Amino acid sequence: MTGTTSPGRGDGRPRRVLILAQLDGYANSVKPLAIERFLREHGHDVHLVDTQSLARASAGRGSLGRMLPGSARPGKLALYANDVASRMLTRRWGFGRRHLSYHVLMTDHRLRRRILSSELALDDFDLVICETPYDAGVLTGPTSAATLYDCPNPWADEVLDEGRLTPRQHRKFRDWEKDFFEKMEYLSFSWETYGRYAQAKYGISGDNFLQLNWGCRPSAERVRFTRPPRVAYLGSLSGQFINLPLLSRLSRLYPYIDVYGGPPPDPSLGLNYRGYASAEVLRDYQFGLITCTRDAIREEGFSAKHLHYLAYGLPVLVPAWRRHLDLLRGSVPYTEEDFAARIGDLSDEARWQSVSDEAYEQARRLDWNRTLEPLRQLLAELRPHPGPESPSHQRYAPSGGAGRVP
C-alpha cells in the first residue's frame, strides 16, 4: 500500500510507528492490521511485528517448525519450555488449569518483555503500540518513544472467567494489572465499555485513556433479503467463551445456520460447518450470529464479529443479556427460548430491511477512519523522532518468530 500524507496539526511530518501484535488469523489480527493500514494511508512509516510464534521456528500453518524451538538463546528456550508446560499442564488437566495458569501466564509475560526489549530498538520510533497483554510488558521499559497499550479487555477477570485462577491468584493478578494499567503512557481498550468496566471493577483512574474503539470497513455491496432467512456464524471456534454447546442447540432450533471458522468443531455438535472463509461470504446471508458464555466481561463487552456483520448490513442476533446494545444499533437480542421466533419476526422483508438499514448505518459510524481518528491526532501532536530516517527493517522481526515488516 502506498502511503499518502494527510494534513494535520503539528509539523505534518510522517511518524515512525511500531505495532506489536499476535496475528492469529481471527479477531486478534483485525485491529492491528486496521491500524497499520490507517496509519500508512495517512503517510506514516509503520512496522508491524507478529509475535504469535516468538519462540518457534516457524509461524506457518501446518508447518513442523511451529512445534520446534526457534532459537538456542536462553530466553527463547525458556519461553518455548513455558509454552510446552502450558499445553501439558493447563489445557486439559483441571487442577493444573485452575492452579497453574497464573504462573505460566506471568512467566510468559516476563520472558516476552525481556526478549522483545533486547531485540527491538524502541527508541527508533515515535510511537510503539502493543495489541496484546502477553507482549505489553515491553512498554514499561525505558524508551524515548511514546507508548500505547491497546488492551483487548481486562486480562485478570477474563482468565478468572475461563476457570484458570484461584480466588487468591485472581486478587493478586488484578492488583498487578491495575498497577500495570496506571503505568501506561496511553491506554485504550478494544471497546469503550471495557474501559468503564476497568474503572468500576479495578478502580483505575482512566487519566491515561486514549480510546480507540473497534471499527469496520462498510462494504460497498450490502446484503439482500431472501426466504428463508439464512444465518451465518463467522469466527474462531476455539476457546471456552465461544459457547459451542449453545451454537449447537441453536442450530437444532433453526436449521439455516452455517458456521465458518476454525479449528473444525467436534462433529458430535451437529453444526453445519462450512470451513474457513473470509468476511465476503456474509453477502449471502440475512443475519449474523453471536454466541458466548455469560460472565461479567461478556455482559459489558462486545464481539469482534459483530462489526463484521454490521459492515454488510446484517442484523445481528446477540444474547439478550448483553448490555450497551445502544452502541451497536442493528442488534436483535435473543434468548434460547425465543431464538427462532426472533428470526420469524424479521421474516417480513420490510421489517428486516429496516433493521438492516440500522445495522449498516451503525457500521458507517464505526468506520475505522472514525474510530482511529484519536490515534491520528496523537501522532500529529508528537514531536518527530530525531533518529535515523530508515533503519534496517530486519531488526524489527524478532529472531525465531514471525516478524512481519512492510
Side-chain angles (χ1 to χ4, degrees):
M1 182 183 297
T2 301
T4 57
T5 303
S6 66
R9 291 174 290 180
D11 60 11
R13 290 177 55 186
R15 308 299 192 234
R16 306 196 69 248
V17 181
L18 176 65
I19 304 171
L20 302 176
Q22 294 190 11
L23 305 182
D24 62 356
Y26 297 101
N28 289 332
S29 300
V30 174
K31 196 172 185 182
L33 292 174
I35 292 173
E36 178 191 35
R37 180 177 60 246
F38 174 81
L39 293 180
R40 287 191 169 193
E41 289 176 348
H42 284 81
H44 298 292
D45 180 14
V46 185
H47 300 253
L48 175 62
V49 171
D50 178 10
T51 67
Q52 178 79 358
S53 300
L54 186 61
R56 306 288 173 149
S58 171
R61 290 181 181 274
S63 169
L64 178 62
R66 294 192 70 173
M67 306 298 295
L68 301 174
S71 172
R73 297 179 182 177
K76 290 288 185 71
L77 285 177
L79 182 60
Y80 176 82
N82 192 65
D83 288 347
V84 172
S86 176
R87 290 178 179 274
M88 294 178 58
L89 301 176
T90 70
R91 299 294 174 88
R92 297 181 180 178
W93 182 30
F95 179 87
R97 179 177 177 85
R98 184 169 180 81
H99 292 269
L100 302 180
S101 293
Y102 170 81
H103 304 287
V104 169
L105 289 171
M106 296 309 296
T107 298
D108 180 89
H109 183 87
R110 289 191 293 268
L111 288 171
R112 285 175 173 270
R113 175 189 175 183
R114 185 186 311 164
I115 294 167
L116 293 172
S117 295
S118 67
E119 296 195 357
L120 299 175
L122 303 186
D123 288 346
D124 286 349
F125 295 90
D126 299 291
L127 176 66
V128 179
I129 304 171
C130 188
E131 292 290 316
T132 165
Y134 301 97
D135 300 323
V138 74
L139 300 180
T140 61
T143 176
S144 60
T147 55
L148 166 63
Y149 177 27
D150 189 21
C151 179
N153 53 53
W155 195 19
D157 284 15
E158 179 179 51
V159 177
L160 175 72
D161 291 335
E162 292 175 343
R164 301 170 66 190
L165 295 175
T166 65
R168 179 177 177 275
Q169 289 173 342
H170 175 242
R171 290 191 296 271
K172 187 176 180 180
F173 200 166
R174 185 189 266 191
D175 288 344
W176 170 85
E177 189 176 23
K178 175 185 176 181
D179 183 61
F180 189 77
F181 285 152
E182 296 288 11
K183 288 179 179 177
M184 293 297 101
E185 184 173 5
Y186 296 102
L187 174 66
S188 179
F189 290 89
S190 58
W191 194 242
E192 61 191 88
T193 55
Y194 287 139
R196 300 176 201 166
Y197 177 96
Q199 286 182 292
K201 301 293 186 179
Y202 282 58
I204 65 172
S205 67
D207 293 341
N208 53 357
F209 278 5
L210 180 78
Q211 182 56 40
L212 306 174
N213 268 349
W214 203 276
C216 64
R217 300 185 74 182
S219 172
E221 181 182 348
R222 288 184 52 180
V223 296
R224 297 182 180 181
F225 182 78
T226 62
R227 291 191 181 91
R230 299 175 63 202
V231 180
Y233 177 97
L234 177 69
S236 173
L237 295 170
S238 65
Q240 177 182 331
F241 65 90
I242 297 299
N243 203 345
L244 289 178
L246 174 59
L247 182 56
S248 175
R249 295 194 299 272
L250 296 179
S251 296
R252 290 195 291 270
L253 291 171
Y254 189 77
Y256 304 106
I257 299 176
D258 291 339
V259 177
Y260 298 90
D266 188 328
S268 67
L269 291 170
L271 303 178
N272 187 21
Y273 179 59
R274 305 291 296 273
Y276 182 85
S278 64
E280 284 76 13
V281 74
L282 296 174
R283 296 190 180 106
D284 298 327
Y285 292 86
Q286 286 68 56
F287 291 93
L289 175 61
I290 290 172
T291 60
C292 47
T293 53
R294 185 172 185 175
D295 54 59
I297 288 185
R298 310 298 163 199
E299 285 185 351
E300 295 291 328
F302 85 117
S303 300
K305 62 178 68 70
H306 205 137
L307 279 293
H308 279 314
Y309 299 148
L310 295 177
Y312 288 86
L314 283 171
V316 182
L317 294 158
V318 58
W321 46 258
R322 175 158 279 175
R323 303 180 61 196
H324 311 298
L325 292 182
D326 57 306
L327 300 175
L328 292 164
R329 303 286 184 179
S331 299
V332 181
Y334 73 84
T335 65
E336 196 168 340
E337 292 72 25
D338 70 6
F339 179 74
R342 296 312 308 271
I343 297 175
D345 291 343
L346 293 176
S347 292
D348 172 79
E349 183 172 359
R351 288 199 293 268
W352 176 89
Q353 189 65 56
S354 176
V355 181
S356 175
D357 290 344
E358 193 175 47
Y360 192 70
E361 180 56 33
Q362 179 67 81
R364 289 166 59 88
R365 291 195 294 270
L366 292 172
D367 188 301
W368 285 115
N369 290 323
R370 293 189 178 189
T371 61
L372 296 179
E373 175 59 18
L375 183 56
R376 187 196 68 80
Q377 294 178 5
L378 171 64
L379 286 170
E381 293 167 354
L382 288 178
R383 290 183 297 175
H385 198 281
E389 286 296 319
S390 183
S392 169
H393 286 184
Q394 183 60 39
R395 72 189 304 178
Y396 305 115
S399 60
R404 186 177 73 80
V405 295

